[in-house]
Amino acid sequence: MKNIMQKKSVAGSGSSSTALSMGLVCCCQLDKKSSQFCFLRIGNRDGISINHQLSFSTHDHVRFVSSCNGLLLLISGKKKRFIYHVFNPLTRENFSLPQACVTGTVLRSGLAVDEHQNYQVVLLHGSAGLELDVFSSETGKWKRQKPINLFLPLPVKDMFPKLTAPPLFSNGAIHWEILGHLLIYNVHNYHCKLIELPCVNDKCSWKSKMNFRGSLWESEGRVHYSYTDTDGVHAWYLLNEHDLDYYSKYNNIDCEKFNWGLADSFDLQTLRKNYPEMFQHWTKWKPGYLSSFAYNESSQTMYMQLPGLVISYNRKTGALEEVCSFKLPGKDFNHCSFFPFVYGNGEYSLEIINATSEEKTVVKLPTTEVVSSLSF
């Protein structure tokens, strides 16, 4: 079982290949028994349109976990009978993983995909201590691993609140946000590293961070972390070995604690003053109302979610624009979550990727309309 392309398909697709291209995906929990996944294309001029060919709904309660190189890691089921799925939306191919014999609760899960579409699904779990279960598409089996060099600052039962940022696979490692820290797991040697997440305010603690919404993304080969607080939106980049060597050569620093550089920061008061129409519906503002969730490196544009709205922020010009709106009658806006989606190097139709919008219009998500249905 080399890759997901060899699995049985639930629907057909064309075949070709092209370079990596970025888009967005919205996962809406319509009710307890159904979900909808709506895919958005980002045009060459950063215009956005709905990709109806990829969008689908499910008769099952399916949740998004992460995306990597054109594949999605999804989860369905209830309580301890969760089923993980690796799904290719471009070909409609789905592979449901066999049940893993985990000990305790699954605390984190993630997906790693290489350039050949071989993948690993990683479950971090445990009750007394932490363990890893790793599924490989090359072997078709789960393998139990003990994480190397993972020393946690707090007992396991107290340190895994609800995940706010989807995991990111970058530079050969899965990155998780975890209790004010970044947990980095190298999929090749099982080595782990725990790094404290950055904070603009020196008085900020991990407990206060949990009230805000963060995200992980990659730009110029670097891992970035952004979050929203009462002051604004802040984006940081993780320093690499070259950066640390450079700074340590000219400065007396502790490389174990000096891990982040500030990439960008903009305050909410200025945004609300300059763009009152976007913020006029919320008189009692909360930092959790605004969250960055994706970044388009080519246009240097950050995408952020507001209640019922997706906006774009151009880091070059400082311009803020509405790009997408959505409504869920009778439900809280948090039932819709947005994530980046990078089209991988698998087989798919060029028409799907290249038919991108050039116009900057506000698209409306079809949350109340019927789209093609799939069963997991």
Side-chain angles (χ1 to χ4, degrees):
M1 181 170 56
K2 286 296 182 183
N3 56 56
I4 195 171
M5 298 304 174
Q6 298 172 340
K7 298 294 124 195
K8 183 178 180 181
S9 173
V10 291
S13 179
S15 62
S16 185
S17 63
T18 187
L20 297 179
S21 178
M22 181 186 167
L24 307 174
V25 59
C26 173
C27 176
C28 290
Q29 303 302 321
L30 303 180
D31 52 48
K32 294 182 179 180
K33 296 182 179 180
S34 63
S35 306
Q36 185 184 96
F37 291 80
C38 186
F39 288 76
L40 302 171
R41 300 176 294 214
I42 298 177
N44 295 332
R45 297 178 184 175
D46 239 25
I48 283 185
S49 62
I50 298 175
N51 192 325
H52 295 281
Q53 292 175 278
L54 300 188
S55 301
F56 64 92
S57 61
T58 71
H59 295 301
D60 316 293
H61 182 65
V62 178
R63 290 180 290 137
F64 175 95
V65 179
S66 66
S67 67
C68 182
N69 198 22
L71 301 181
L72 300 182
L73 179 61
L74 307 174
I75 186 172
S76 65
K78 299 179 180 179
K79 297 182 179 180
K80 295 184 178 180
R81 294 297 300 176
F82 289 126
I83 301 175
Y84 287 89
H85 309 271
V86 178
F87 178 69
N88 188 329
L90 297 159
T91 62
R92 289 294 200 263
E93 291 174 300
N94 175 60
F95 180 63
S96 300
L97 274 61
Q99 200 76 29
C101 298
V102 300
T103 57
T105 304
V106 175
L107 307 167
R108 292 291 186 269
S109 55
L111 175 67
V113 185
D114 66 20
E115 64 274 14
H116 305 295
Q117 292 294 90
N118 299 315
Y119 61 84
Q120 291 185 27
V121 175
V122 181
L123 308 182
L124 179 67
H125 59 92
S127 51
L130 292 180
E131 292 181 304
L132 294 166
D133 268 38
V134 181
F135 180 89
S136 169
S137 64
E138 296 186 273
T139 64
K141 298 179 180 179
W142 289 98
K143 183 178 180 180
R144 178 68 49 85
Q145 295 289 346
K146 198 73 176 178
I148 301 174
N149 193 42
L150 182 57
F151 304 100
L152 300 177
L154 293 174
V156 172
K157 64 179 181 179
D158 296 329
M159 70 168 303
F160 291 92
K162 184 178 180 180
L163 180 65
T164 59
L168 170 71
F169 178 67
S170 174
N171 300 318
I174 298 177
H175 300 71
W176 287 288
E177 178 189 7
I178 182 171
L179 192 71
H181 290 76
L182 182 69
L183 175 58
I184 305 173
Y185 165 69
N186 190 298
V187 300
H188 301 294
N189 59 18
Y190 316 116
H191 189 273
C192 293
K193 188 175 183 180
L194 200 63
I195 297 175
E196 186 174 355
L197 287 172
C199 192
V200 171
N201 187 344
D202 292 336
K203 297 180 180 180
C204 181
S205 68
W206 71 265
K207 290 184 178 180
S208 62
K209 288 178 185 177
M210 296 314 299
N211 296 321
F212 309 137
R213 302 172 70 176
S215 64
L216 294 164
W217 36 275
E218 181 181 308
S219 176
E220 299 181 346
R222 297 174 184 269
V223 172
H224 285 64
Y225 173 73
S226 65
Y227 71 94
T228 307
D229 63 13
T230 53
D231 296 322
V233 180
H234 316 286
W236 301 75
Y237 63 91
L238 184 65
L239 300 178
N240 54 34
E241 292 183 4
H242 175 76
D243 297 324
L244 294 175
D245 290 341
Y246 174 82
Y247 287 120
S248 61
K249 184 182 297 184
Y250 299 99
N251 301 274
N252 183 19
I253 63 171
D254 184 353
C255 291
E256 291 298 319
K257 297 181 179 179
F258 185 72
N259 291 298
W260 299 90
L262 184 62
D264 204 349
S265 182
F266 47 95
D267 67 278
L268 287 175
Q269 294 300 325
T270 300
L271 292 182
R272 296 179 67 183
K273 180 180 179 181
N274 294 341
Y275 302 93
E277 68 280 0
M278 296 186 189
F279 300 89
Q280 62 183 343
H281 302 296
W282 307 286
T283 54
K284 295 182 179 180
W285 180 259
K286 295 181 180 180
Y289 285 177
L290 176 66
S291 63
S292 62
F293 63 88
Y295 182 72
N296 187 352
E297 183 174 333
S298 62
S299 62
Q300 297 186 35
T301 300
M302 184 182 297
Y303 292 91
M304 298 178 286
Q305 180 180 353
L306 285 165
L309 195 66
V310 173
I311 60 177
S312 66
Y313 170 73
N314 190 296
R315 292 177 61 195
K316 293 186 296 184
T317 64
L320 204 68
E321 295 182 342
E322 298 183 20
V323 295
C324 177
S325 65
F326 60 95
K327 290 183 179 180
L328 280 176
K331 291 185 178 295
D332 183 82
F333 73 93
N334 284 312
H335 282 78
C336 269
S337 300
F338 292 80
F339 311 95
F341 176 74
V342 177
Y343 298 91
N345 286 321
E347 297 180 349
Y348 46 83
S349 171
L350 280 170
E351 181 182 358
I352 294 177
I353 304 302
N354 292 333
T356 51
S357 172
E358 296 292 343
E359 299 181 1
K360 290 189 175 181
T361 57
V362 180
V363 300
K364 184 178 180 180
L365 291 186
T367 52
T368 59
E369 301 175 15
V370 178
V371 297
S372 61
S373 182
L374 296 177
S375 295
F376 288 82

